[in-house]
Amino acid sequence: MKNKGFIKLYRSMLSKPEMTDLVNEQGAVGFGVYMMIVLHLSQCDDYEGMFTNGQLSAFAAQAKTTRKNVRHIIEDFGLFEINGNRFKTATKSEENADETETKSPHSHARNNRYAGEDVEIDIEKEKKEKGTKVPDMIGPSAYEVMTREGLRQGGHGEPVPWWAPPQRDVYMVWSLVADRWVPPAQIDAEAERQRHKEMKPADFMMKTAWEVLTEDEQTRIQDNAKRQL
């Protein structure tokens, strides 16, 4: 059975030698950066991401760490496989984690130690197939634009997903990578273009909200919008 919106992780993954090395060196912070990267890869085509300076910078900005440290986590612990300018996690998913396979330089017996211990993490919880929590209010605001096709755009012409809260500051721009409004200086153009390619046109159409949201959520958003008038 296909489990769209889920990834699978071993319950004992913190005991794996590769993860033990990471946690011993960087603690929960390093583990958090690892999970952030894994969740990003789970949304990429073929579960492979771009291994470029631009993408590393985007990870660093989101995790509030350095690009050097992100590269260190990807390259030096055996948790990811790198092929040219692409990389993927050593725990690969098919169809959003229908199957889980662990690739490791360690023995087959050691890998079997984790068999049957996979646990599913729902990355759709309260996110409506889009991987994003629906805020109390969604846009567009007066700063934004709706094209004739119904696509939502920010005040600077950038694509904005339907689930984004209204743009409150004309100087802020929407980051598809960070999934929030940010100052323009935080935007990595290459990473934003790559993330845009990974998303669907329906993600940027306001009518999608009313096709996806439940009636209760529609009412909640409308009520909160009225309170702002």
Side-chain angles (χ1 to χ4, degrees):
M1 182 176 66
K2 304 301 182 185
N3 297 320
K4 290 187 176 181
F6 292 82
I7 62 172
K8 285 186 177 180
L9 298 174
Y10 291 115
R11 292 190 181 97
S12 56
M13 69 179 300
L14 290 175
S15 298
K16 293 179 66 176
E18 302 92 336
M19 188 60 68
T20 298
D21 290 343
L22 173 63
V23 174
N24 283 344
E25 179 183 302
Q26 300 196 15
V29 174
F31 180 73
V33 175
Y34 166 78
M35 285 303 305
M36 180 196 72
I37 297 171
V38 168
L39 291 173
H40 169 78
L41 293 176
S42 73
Q43 301 178 61
C44 296
D45 293 339
D46 298 324
Y47 311 102
E48 290 189 347
M50 297 296 294
F51 191 64
T52 62
N53 287 334
Q55 184 59 66
L56 294 177
S57 295
F59 285 144
Q62 187 176 3
K64 294 181 173 57
T65 186
T66 64
R67 189 171 71 182
K68 180 179 179 181
N69 188 49
V70 174
R71 180 183 290 275
H72 175 47
I73 290 173
I74 294 174
E75 287 185 335
D76 298 335
F77 292 94
L79 295 166
F80 299 93
E81 297 178 4
I82 303 171
N83 183 17
N85 67 345
R86 308 283 297 179
F87 79 109
K88 60 185 178 181
T89 179
T91 302
K92 182 179 73 172
S93 299
E94 297 177 3
E95 292 291 332
N96 284 337
D98 179 49
E99 298 290 341
T100 300
E101 166 185 330
T102 300
K103 297 182 178 180
S104 169
H106 302 287
S107 70
H108 183 68
R110 173 173 280 178
N111 287 339
N112 279 346
R113 170 185 171 190
Y114 308 102
E117 296 183 351
D118 51 304
V119 57
E120 294 178 348
I121 294 180
D122 185 358
I123 61 175
E124 283 185 343
K125 186 178 180 181
E126 297 182 348
K127 295 185 181 181
K128 299 303 175 182
E129 297 180 356
K130 303 299 181 220
T132 303
K133 183 178 179 180
V134 179
D136 287 341
M137 292 185 64
I138 59 177
S141 70
Y143 293 124
E144 299 173 63
V145 174
M146 292 287 294
T147 69
R148 289 186 176 182
E149 294 78 18
L151 296 174
R152 183 179 175 186
Q153 295 180 345
H156 297 262
E158 75 279 13
V160 180
W162 62 262
W163 58 78
Q167 181 178 5
R168 299 299 192 190
D169 187 333
V170 68
Y171 296 107
M172 301 290 273
V173 296
W174 184 262
S175 168
L176 299 176
V177 175
D179 202 40
R180 58 188 174 87
W181 296 101
V182 302
Q186 294 184 16
I187 291 294
D188 184 294
E190 181 181 352
E192 295 292 327
R193 283 193 294 270
Q194 178 60 31
R195 182 72 185 104
H196 192 196
K197 291 179 181 178
E198 297 165 357
M199 299 176 71
K200 301 176 182 178
D203 291 341
F204 304 100
M205 301 194 69
M206 286 306 303
K207 72 174 184 178
T208 304
W210 311 113
E211 296 171 354
V212 172
L213 297 180
T214 66
E215 184 175 348
D216 287 344
E217 287 171 320
Q218 293 182 33
T219 300
R220 171 176 58 82
I221 290 171
Q222 290 170 342
D223 287 346
N224 284 331
K226 291 176 183 177
R227 295 191 190 103
Q228 303 297 317
L229 296 178

